[in-house]
Amino acid sequence: MSKTTPATLALDRAGVAYTLATYAYDPGADRVGLQAAEALGVPPGEVLKTLMVRADGKPACVILASNREVAMKKLAAALGAKSAEMMKPADAERLTGYRVGGVSPFGQKKPAPTVLDAAAAALPEVFVNGGQRGLQVRLAPGEIVRATGAIVAPVT
């Protein structure tokens, strides 16, 4: 597995401090983030999932703990939109340049406005997808905000 991805290159360019962790990705897992947390031996709340959505029809990215669900009304409000819905996987892959299960908020082909859930932002360190299935970056949530320009808001 290559440990150099558009995500890690973007983090390096931004001067973000992070460490890498790899795990055996299970394509058959019902919930990829929960499987990653189990494989890494960390609580599911520390492994964040990156979801691509549409807010008033425009692309956006939301990052939250793998064991939580997005409240679409809260997400829409955080983005100043009337409504939000999940993006189709094929659209997410085309927009980000990553495969579903390996979508990272960093180094996306077409960066979208990003929201980091406030609960995740309160943690000292988290894992976020590193741009490849089975690759995670561990970093402080403040670095996610710095690297993506994310809004921090309660969206769960």
Side-chain angles (χ1 to χ4, degrees):
M1 168 187 310
S2 172
K3 293 183 181 175
T4 301
T5 66
T8 60
L9 292 172
L11 290 171
D12 291 343
R13 278 193 304 276
V16 170
Y18 66 93
T19 57
L20 291 174
T22 59
Y23 68 96
Y25 175 82
D26 178 2
D30 287 337
R31 298 181 67 188
V32 173
L34 296 180
Q35 187 261 325
E38 185 176 328
L40 293 167
V42 299
E46 291 179 17
V47 176
L48 307 185
K49 57 187 172 183
T50 304
L51 303 176
M52 298 305 295
V53 299
R54 292 198 185 278
D56 288 350
K58 296 178 184 166
C61 177
V62 60
I63 308 163
L64 67 154
S66 61
N67 61 347
R68 301 191 81 163
E69 296 297 323
V70 178
M72 290 296 179
K73 288 185 180 197
K74 289 182 180 181
L75 177 59
L79 291 164
K82 291 179 183 171
S83 66
E85 63 185 1
M86 289 299 299
M87 188 179 288
K88 291 179 182 170
D91 293 341
E93 289 181 344
R94 191 171 36 261
L95 185 78
T96 64
Y98 297 120
R99 291 171 57 201
V100 169
V103 174
S104 178
F106 315 112
Q108 294 183 357
K109 278 175 39 178
K110 294 183 180 177
T114 301
V115 177
L116 174 63
D117 184 48
L123 297 171
E125 282 195 319
V126 294
F127 288 89
V128 179
N129 196 289
Q132 185 174 323
R133 294 172 175 176
L135 181 66
Q136 295 280 316
V137 293
R138 185 175 186 161
L139 71 172
E143 294 294 320
I144 297 171
V145 172
R146 188 166 72 83
T148 63
I151 300 163
V152 176
V155 295
T156 56

